[in-house]
Amino acid sequence: MRIGIVGLGFVGLTFASTLANRGYDVIGMDIDKAKIKNIESGKVPFYEPKLENVLKNALKKKLILTENIEEIVVKCDFIFLTLGTPMNKNGNIDLKIILTVCKKIGQSLLKLKNRPTIIIKSTVTPGTTNNQIKKILEKESNKKVGKGFGLITNPEFLREGKAVYDTLNPHLIVIGSNEKYDGRKLEKFYNKFHNKKNSIIITNNTTAEIIKYANNSFLATKISFINNISNLCQTLPGTNVDQIAEAIGIDPRIGNQFLKAGPGYGGSCLPKDVQALIACEKSLGVESALLDAVHQTNVLQIQKIIKLVEKTLVNVKNKRITILGLSFKEESDDIRESRSIKLIEILLKKQSNITVHDPKAIKNTKLIFRDKISYNEKIVDAINDSDCVILMTPWKQYSKLQGIDFKKMKNKNIIDTRRILNIHDNDINYIGLGIGY
Ligand code: UGA
C-alpha cells in the first residue's frame, strides 16, 4: 500500500513523517517548491517540537516528495488531503485551494485503472464533501464515488506544539463515509498504524464535518466562558479565576481542560472555525446567538488588557511597553490570529513604544511589524527600561522569571494575562488578569 499526503503543513508533514517512520511507503506533495526543498533536506518549515527528528528518519526510510499531484493519484491507494482552508474577509471558509486540487485529482482519475480512496482531512464546513468535493471529482473523472474512487471525511484533532504525540496517540478517529467498504478499510489502516484498536466513530461525511466544528467550537466556548468569569473576578477583590476554574473543573460533567483564562484564543483553527460555523449556520437560517457571543467575547478580551494597561500607566502614549510572548500558544512559532499581534496593533495606534520577546516567533513577527517595534533575543533586554511588561504567551521560560529580572524596569508594572509568574516583591506592581484586587 502506498499513501499520498497532499499539503505539507502541520497536519500533513507530521502525518507523512510518522507514517514513513513506521515503515509505510509515503509520497508527500506540496505546490510550494521552496518548502519541498527544505523538507527534502530534513528541515521542518515551521517550529514543531520533535518533528525534525521524525522527518529526518522518515527521509531515510520511505518518505519521498513531489510537486506533482498526478504522481500521487497514479501511485497511491490512500490520498489524504491536508490542505489549508483559510478564512476569507467575511469570516466564511475559503475552499479555493482544496477545490482546485480536487479538480486536478479528478482529471488524473479520468485515465486511471486503480480505485484510490480520497480522504479529506482538511477542515471543511458541513456539506462540503457531498455538495462540492464529490461533484467536482465525479465531473472531472467521469467516475462515480464508490465505484471509481472512495471518498472519506476524516477530520483531524491534533494540536500544534503536540503534533507528533497527537498523531501517534489520537483520542478519537472520525471516519465519515457514505460507503461502508471505504470506512472499514480506513478503520483497519488506522488500527494497524497505531497498533491498537482505536476509539473510532464511523458515520457519514456531513456528520463527520460537523463533529470537527462542534469540537473546536465547544473548546472555544469553554475558553470564552472562563474569560467571562475572569472579567468578573477582575472586579471583585479577593477572587481568582484559577480557583474557580479548578473547582468547576472537578465536576466531571465540566472537566478541567480548556478552562485557563487569558487574553482569548488565537491560532489558525479556533477563531476561524467558530466564525465559519457561524457563517454556515446563518446561511442555513440557524440561530447562532451562542457562537456569536463566544466570538464576541474573544474579540473583546483584548480590550480588557488595553483597559488594564491604560489604568496602570494612565496614558500609554510614548510609554515603553514590553510584550512577552508573540506566538498564539507556547511551543509554537505560529502567530496567526495571535492575541499578542492584535494587542501590539492597538498599542501602536495609541503611539506606545513596543519591545518584544518570544523564544520562537520573532522571525514571523518581523514580517508584520518590521522596524515599527523592537525585538529582543534575551528576555531581560526586553524588560529593562520598560514602563509595563505584558505577559501574553505562557512559555515555560517566563514562569521562571524572578523579581530580580524586573529590577531595571523604568516603572515596575507587570500585567500577567496567564497568571504564571510567581513574584512577591513589594516594589513591583503585579496585576494578574482574572484576579480581583
Ligand atoms: C485546536 C484544537 O485544540 C485541536 O484539537 C484541533 O485539531 C486544532 O485546533 C485544529 O483544528 O487544527 P490549536 O489551534 O493547536 O488546536 O490550539 P489550542 O491548543 O486549541 O489553543 C488555541 C488557543 O486557545 C490558544 O491561543 C491558547 O492559548 C488558547 N487557550 C487554550 C486558552 O486561552 N485557554 C485554554 O484553556 C486553552
Coordinates of all heavy atoms in Angstrom, one line a residue, residues 10-11 48 121 123 155-162 166 171 212 215-216 219-220 222-224 226-227 256-273 298 327-330 332 334 336-339 392-394 417-419, ligand 1:
F10 N 1.3 21.6 9.2 CA 1.4 20.9 10.5 C 0.8 19.5 10.4 O 1.5 18.5 10.8 CB 0.6 21.6 11.6 CG 1.3 22.8 12.1 CD1 1.0 24.1 11.5 CD2 2.3 22.7 13.1 CE1 1.6 25.2 12.0 CE2 2.9 23.9 13.5 CZ 2.6 25.1 12.9
V11 N -0.4 19.4 9.9 CA -1.0 18.1 9.9 C -0.4 17.2 8.8 O 0.0 16.0 9.2 CB -2.6 18.3 9.5 CG1 -3.2 16.9 9.4 CG2 -3.2 19.1 10.6
E48 N 7.9 22.9 15.3 CA 7.0 21.9 15.9 C 7.9 21.0 16.6 O 8.7 20.2 16.0 CB 6.2 21.2 14.8 CG 5.2 20.1 15.3 CD 4.2 20.6 16.3 OE1 3.6 21.7 16.1 OE2 4.0 20.0 17.4
K121 N -8.9 15.3 5.1 CA -8.5 15.6 6.5 C -8.7 17.1 6.8 O -8.8 17.5 8.0 CB -7.1 15.2 6.7 CG -7.0 14.0 7.6 CD -5.5 13.8 8.1 CE -5.4 12.5 8.8 NZ -6.4 12.4 9.9
T123 N -10.2 20.7 7.4 CA -11.5 21.1 8.0 C -12.3 21.8 6.9 O -11.9 22.8 6.3 CB -11.2 22.1 9.1 OG1 -10.3 21.5 10.1 CG2 -12.5 22.5 9.8
P155 N -11.8 14.1 9.8 CA -11.2 15.3 10.4 C -10.1 15.0 11.4 O -10.0 13.9 11.9 CB -12.4 16.0 11.1 CG -13.4 14.9 11.3 CD -13.2 14.0 10.1
E156 N -9.2 16.0 11.5 CA -8.0 15.9 12.4 C -8.2 16.7 13.7 O -8.8 17.7 13.7 CB -6.8 16.4 11.6 CG -5.5 16.4 12.3 CD -5.1 15.0 12.8 OE1 -5.1 14.0 12.0 OE2 -4.9 14.8 14.0
F157 N -7.7 16.1 14.8 CA -7.8 16.8 16.1 C -6.5 17.2 16.7 O -6.5 17.5 17.9 CB -8.7 15.9 17.0 CG -10.1 15.7 16.5 CD1 -10.4 14.5 15.9 CD2 -11.1 16.6 16.6 CE1 -11.6 14.2 15.3 CE2 -12.3 16.4 16.1 CZ -12.6 15.2 15.5
L158 N -5.4 17.0 16.0 CA -4.1 17.3 16.6 C -3.9 18.7 17.0 O -4.5 19.6 16.4 CB -2.9 16.8 15.7 CG -2.5 17.5 14.5 CD1 -1.8 18.8 14.7 CD2 -1.6 16.6 13.7
R159 N -3.1 18.9 18.0 CA -2.8 20.3 18.5 C -1.4 20.7 18.0 O -0.5 19.9 18.0 CB -2.8 20.4 20.0 CG -4.1 20.0 20.6 CD -3.9 19.6 22.1 NE -3.2 18.3 22.2 CZ -2.8 17.8 23.4 NH1 -3.1 18.4 24.5 NH2 -2.2 16.6 23.4
E160 N -1.3 22.0 17.6 CA 0.1 22.5 17.3 C 0.9 22.4 18.6 O 0.4 22.6 19.7 CB 0.0 23.9 16.8 CG -0.5 24.0 15.4 CD -0.4 25.5 14.8 OE1 0.4 26.3 15.3 OE2 -1.2 25.8 13.9
G161 N 2.2 22.1 18.4 CA 3.0 22.0 19.6 C 3.0 20.6 20.1 O 3.9 20.2 20.9
K162 N 2.0 19.8 19.8 CA 2.0 18.4 20.2 C 1.6 17.5 19.1 O 1.0 16.5 19.2 CB 0.9 18.3 21.3 CG 1.0 19.2 22.5 CD 0.9 18.4 23.8 CE 1.5 19.1 25.0 NZ 0.8 20.2 25.5
D166 N 0.2 13.7 19.2 CA -1.3 13.6 18.9 C -1.5 12.7 17.7 O -2.5 11.9 17.6 CB -1.9 14.9 18.7 CG -2.1 15.7 20.0 OD1 -1.9 15.1 21.1 OD2 -2.5 16.9 19.9
H171 N -7.0 10.8 20.4 CA -8.0 10.4 21.4 C -9.2 9.8 20.7 O -10.0 9.1 21.3 CB -8.4 11.6 22.3 CG -9.1 12.7 21.6 ND1 -8.5 13.7 20.9 CD2 -10.5 12.9 21.5 CE1 -9.4 14.5 20.4 NE2 -10.6 14.1 20.7
K212 N -16.1 17.9 13.7 CA -14.9 18.8 13.7 C -15.3 20.2 14.2 O -14.6 20.7 15.1 CB -14.2 18.8 12.4 CG -13.1 19.8 12.3 CD -11.9 19.3 13.1 CE -10.9 20.5 13.2 NZ -9.7 20.1 13.9
N215 N -16.5 20.2 17.8 CA -15.4 20.0 18.8 C -14.6 21.4 19.0 O -14.5 21.8 20.2 CB -14.4 19.0 18.2 CG -13.6 18.3 19.2 OD1 -14.0 17.2 19.6 ND2 -12.6 18.9 19.7
N216 N -14.2 22.0 17.9 CA -13.4 23.2 18.1 C -14.3 24.3 18.7 O -13.8 25.2 19.5 CB -12.8 23.7 16.8 CG -11.4 23.1 16.6 OD1 -10.9 22.3 17.4 ND2 -10.8 23.3 15.4
L219 N -14.6 23.9 22.4 CA -13.4 24.3 23.1 C -13.3 25.8 23.2 O -13.0 26.4 24.3 CB -12.1 23.8 22.4 CG -11.9 22.3 22.3 CD1 -10.7 21.9 21.4 CD2 -11.7 21.7 23.7
A220 N -13.7 26.5 22.1 CA -13.7 28.0 22.1 C -14.7 28.5 23.1 O -14.5 29.5 23.8 CB -14.0 28.5 20.7
K222 N -15.7 27.0 25.9 CA -15.1 26.9 27.3 C -14.2 28.1 27.6 O -14.2 28.6 28.7 CB -14.4 25.6 27.4 CG -15.3 24.4 27.6 CD -14.5 23.1 27.9 CE -14.4 22.8 29.4 NZ -13.8 21.5 29.7
I223 N -13.3 28.4 26.6 CA -12.4 29.5 26.8 C -13.1 30.8 27.0 O -12.8 31.6 27.9 CB -11.3 29.6 25.7 CG1 -10.5 28.3 25.6 CG2 -10.4 30.8 25.9 CD1 -9.7 28.2 24.3
S224 N -14.1 31.1 26.1 CA -14.8 32.4 26.3 C -15.6 32.4 27.6 O -15.7 33.5 28.2 CB -15.7 32.6 25.1 OG -15.0 33.1 24.0
I226 N -14.8 30.9 30.5 CA -13.9 31.2 31.6 C -13.3 32.6 31.5 O -13.1 33.3 32.6 CB -12.8 30.1 31.8 CG1 -12.3 30.1 33.2 CG2 -11.7 30.3 30.8 CD1 -13.2 29.6 34.2
N227 N -13.2 33.2 30.3 CA -12.7 34.5 30.2 C -13.8 35.5 30.7 O -13.4 36.5 31.3 CB -12.3 34.9 28.8 CG -10.9 34.3 28.4 OD1 -10.1 34.0 29.3 ND2 -10.6 34.1 27.2
N256 N -11.7 19.6 33.5 CA -10.8 20.7 33.9 C -9.9 21.2 32.7 O -9.2 22.1 32.9 CB -9.8 20.2 35.0 CG -9.0 19.0 34.6 OD1 -8.9 18.7 33.4 ND2 -8.3 18.4 35.6
Q257 N -10.1 20.7 31.5 CA -9.3 21.2 30.4 C -10.0 22.4 29.7 O -11.2 22.5 29.7 CB -9.0 20.1 29.4 CG -8.2 19.1 30.0 CD -7.6 18.1 29.0 OE1 -7.1 18.5 27.9 NE2 -7.7 16.8 29.3
F258 N -9.1 23.2 29.1 CA -9.6 24.4 28.4 C -10.4 25.4 29.3 O -11.3 26.0 28.8 CB -10.4 24.0 27.1 CG -9.4 23.8 26.0 CD1 -8.5 22.8 26.0 CD2 -9.4 24.8 24.9 CE1 -7.6 22.6 24.9 CE2 -8.5 24.6 23.9 CZ -7.6 23.5 23.9
L259 N -9.9 25.5 30.5 CA -10.5 26.5 31.4 C -9.4 27.4 31.9 O -9.5 28.0 33.0 CB -11.2 25.7 32.6 CG -12.5 25.0 32.3 CD1 -13.0 24.4 33.6 CD2 -13.6 26.0 31.8
K260 N -8.4 27.6 31.1 CA -7.4 28.6 31.5 C -7.7 29.9 30.9 O -7.7 30.1 29.7 CB -6.0 28.2 31.0 CG -5.5 27.0 31.8 CD -4.0 26.8 31.6 CE -3.5 25.5 32.1 NZ -3.6 24.5 31.0
A261 N -8.1 30.9 31.8 CA -8.4 32.2 31.4 C -7.2 32.9 30.8 O -6.1 32.6 31.2 CB -9.0 33.0 32.5
G262 N -7.4 33.8 29.9 CA -6.2 34.5 29.3 C -6.7 35.6 28.4 O -7.8 36.2 28.5
P263 N -5.8 35.9 27.4 CA -6.1 37.0 26.5 C -7.1 36.7 25.4 O -7.4 37.5 24.5 CB -4.8 37.4 25.9 CG -4.0 36.1 25.9 CD -4.5 35.3 27.1
G264 N -7.6 35.4 25.4 CA -8.5 35.0 24.3 C -7.8 34.0 23.5 O -6.6 33.9 23.5
Y265 N -8.6 33.2 22.8 CA -8.0 32.1 21.9 C -7.5 32.7 20.6 O -8.1 33.6 20.0 CB -8.9 30.9 21.7 CG -10.3 31.3 21.1 CD1 -10.5 31.5 19.8 CD2 -11.4 31.4 22.0 CE1 -11.7 31.8 19.2 CE2 -12.7 31.8 21.4 CZ -12.8 31.9 20.1 OH -14.0 32.3 19.6
G266 N -6.4 32.1 20.1 CA -5.9 32.5 18.8 C -5.6 31.3 18.0 O -6.1 30.2 18.2
G267 N -4.7 31.5 17.0 CA -4.3 30.3 16.2 C -5.0 30.2 14.9 O -5.9 31.1 14.5
S268 N -4.7 29.2 14.1 CA -5.3 29.1 12.7 C -6.6 28.3 12.8 O -7.1 28.1 11.7 CB -4.2 28.4 11.8 OG -4.0 27.1 12.3
C269 N -7.0 27.9 13.9 CA -8.2 27.0 13.9 C -9.4 27.5 14.7 O -10.4 27.7 14.1 CB -7.8 25.6 14.5 SG -6.4 24.9 13.6
L270 N -9.2 27.7 16.0 CA -10.4 28.1 16.8 C -11.1 29.3 16.3 O -12.3 29.3 16.0 CB -10.0 28.2 18.3 CG -10.3 27.0 19.2 CD1 -9.9 25.7 18.6 CD2 -9.7 27.2 20.6
P271 N -10.4 30.4 16.1 CA -11.1 31.7 15.6 C -11.7 31.4 14.3 O -12.9 31.8 14.0 CB -9.9 32.7 15.5 CG -8.8 32.2 16.4 CD -8.9 30.7 16.3
K272 N -11.0 30.8 13.4 CA -11.5 30.5 12.0 C -12.8 29.6 12.0 O -13.8 29.8 11.4 CB -10.4 29.9 11.2 CG -10.8 29.3 9.8 CD -9.7 28.6 9.2 CE -9.5 27.2 9.7 NZ -9.6 26.1 8.8
D273 N -12.7 28.5 12.8 CA -13.7 27.5 12.8 C -15.0 28.1 13.4 O -16.1 27.8 13.0 CB -13.3 26.2 13.5 CG -12.2 25.5 12.6 OD1 -12.0 26.0 11.5 OD2 -11.6 24.6 13.1
N298 N -14.4 36.7 22.7 CA -13.0 36.6 22.4 C -12.4 37.9 21.8 O -11.3 38.3 22.1 CB -12.8 35.4 21.4 CG -11.4 34.9 21.3 OD1 -10.8 34.6 22.4 ND2 -10.8 34.9 20.2
S327 N 3.7 34.2 19.9 CA 3.0 33.1 19.3 C 1.6 32.9 20.0 O 1.5 33.3 21.1 CB 3.8 31.8 19.4 OG 4.2 31.5 20.7
F328 N 0.7 32.3 19.3 CA -0.7 32.2 19.8 C -0.7 31.2 21.0 O -1.7 31.2 21.8 CB -1.7 31.8 18.7 CG -1.7 30.3 18.4 CD1 -2.8 29.5 18.9 CD2 -0.7 29.7 17.6 CE1 -2.8 28.1 18.6 CE2 -0.8 28.3 17.4 CZ -1.9 27.5 17.9
K329 N 0.3 30.3 21.1 CA 0.4 29.5 22.2 C 1.9 29.1 22.4 O 2.7 29.3 21.5 CB -0.5 28.2 22.1 CG 0.0 27.3 21.0 CD -1.0 26.2 20.6 CE -0.9 25.0 21.4 NZ -1.7 23.9 20.8
E330 N 2.2 28.5 23.5 CA 3.6 28.1 23.8 C 4.0 26.9 22.9 O 3.1 26.2 22.4 CB 3.8 27.8 25.3 CG 3.0 26.5 25.8 CD 1.5 26.7 26.1 OE1 0.9 27.7 25.5 OE2 1.0 25.9 26.8
S332 N 5.3 27.0 20.0 CA 4.9 27.2 18.6 C 5.5 28.5 18.1 O 5.8 29.4 18.9 CB 3.4 27.3 18.5 OG 2.9 27.8 17.3
D334 N 3.9 30.0 15.6 CA 2.7 30.4 14.8 C 2.1 31.7 15.4 O 1.7 31.7 16.6 CB 1.7 29.3 14.8 CG 0.7 29.4 13.7 OD1 0.5 30.6 13.2 OD2 0.0 28.4 13.4
R336 N -0.5 33.3 13.8 CA -1.8 33.5 13.1 C -2.9 33.8 14.2 O -3.0 33.0 15.1 CB -2.2 32.3 12.2 CG -1.4 32.3 10.9 CD -1.7 31.1 10.1 NE -1.2 29.9 10.7 CZ -1.3 28.6 10.2 NH1 -2.1 28.5 9.1 NH2 -0.8 27.6 10.8
E337 N -3.6 34.9 14.0 CA -4.7 35.2 15.0 C -4.2 35.3 16.4 O -4.9 35.2 17.4 CB -5.8 34.3 14.9 CG -6.7 34.4 13.6 CD -7.4 35.7 13.5 OE1 -8.0 36.2 14.5 OE2 -7.4 36.3 12.4
S338 N -2.9 35.5 16.6 CA -2.3 35.6 17.9 C -2.8 36.9 18.6 O -2.8 38.0 18.0 CB -0.8 35.6 17.9 OG -0.3 36.0 19.1
R339 N -3.3 36.8 19.8 CA -3.8 37.9 20.6 C -2.7 39.0 20.8 O -2.9 40.2 20.9 CB -4.3 37.5 21.9 CG -5.5 36.5 21.9 CD -6.7 37.1 21.2 NE -6.7 36.8 19.8 CZ -7.6 37.3 18.9 NH1 -8.5 38.2 19.3 NH2 -7.5 37.0 17.6
M392 N 2.0 37.5 27.6 CA 0.9 37.1 26.8 C 0.8 35.6 26.5 O -0.2 35.0 26.5 CB 0.9 37.8 25.4 CG 0.6 39.3 25.5 SD -1.2 39.6 26.0 CE -2.0 39.2 24.4
T393 N 2.0 35.0 26.3 CA 2.0 33.6 25.9 C 2.7 32.8 27.0 O 3.8 33.2 27.5 CB 2.8 33.4 24.6 OG1 2.4 34.4 23.6 CG2 2.6 32.0 24.0
P394 N 2.1 31.7 27.5 CA 2.7 31.0 28.7 C 3.9 30.1 28.4 O 3.8 28.9 28.7 CB 1.5 30.2 29.2 CG 0.6 29.9 28.0 CD 0.9 31.1 27.1
T417 N -1.2 38.0 31.8 CA -2.5 37.6 31.3 C -2.8 36.1 31.5 O -3.9 35.6 31.3 CB -2.7 37.9 29.8 OG1 -1.9 37.1 29.1 CG2 -2.4 39.4 29.5
R418 N -1.7 35.4 31.9 CA -1.8 33.9 32.1 C -1.6 33.5 33.5 O -1.6 32.3 33.9 CB -0.9 33.1 31.2 CG -0.9 33.5 29.7 CD -2.0 32.8 29.0 NE -1.9 33.1 27.5 CZ -2.5 32.4 26.6 NH1 -3.2 31.3 26.9 NH2 -2.4 32.7 25.3
R419 N -1.3 34.4 34.4 CA -1.0 34.2 35.8 C 0.0 33.1 36.1 O -0.2 32.2 36.9 CB -2.3 33.9 36.6 CG -3.4 35.0 36.5 CD -4.7 34.5 36.8 NE -5.1 33.4 36.1 CZ -5.5 33.4 34.8 NH1 -5.6 34.5 34.1 NH2 -5.8 32.2 34.1
Ligands
UGA1 C1 -7.0 23.4 18.1 C2 -7.7 22.2 18.8 O1 -7.3 22.2 20.2 C3 -7.2 20.9 18.1 O2 -7.9 19.8 18.7 C4 -7.5 21.0 16.6 O3 -7.1 19.8 15.9 C5 -6.8 22.2 16.0 O4 -7.3 23.4 16.7 C6 -7.2 22.3 14.6 O5 -8.4 22.4 14.3 O6 -6.4 22.1 13.7 P1 -4.6 24.5 18.3 O7 -5.0 25.5 17.3 O8 -3.2 23.9 18.1 O9 -5.6 23.3 18.3 O10 -4.5 25.2 19.7 P2 -5.2 25.0 21.1 O11 -4.4 24.2 22.0 O12 -6.6 24.6 20.9 O13 -5.2 26.5 21.6 C7 -6.0 27.5 20.9 C8 -5.9 28.8 21.7 O14 -6.7 28.8 22.8 C9 -4.5 29.3 22.1 O15 -4.4 30.7 21.8 C10 -4.5 29.0 23.6 O16 -3.6 29.8 24.3 C11 -5.9 29.3 23.9 N1 -6.4 28.6 25.2 C12 -6.4 27.2 25.2 C13 -6.7 29.3 26.3 O17 -6.8 30.5 26.3 N2 -7.2 28.6 27.4 C14 -7.2 27.3 27.4 O18 -7.6 26.7 28.5 C15 -6.8 26.5 26.3

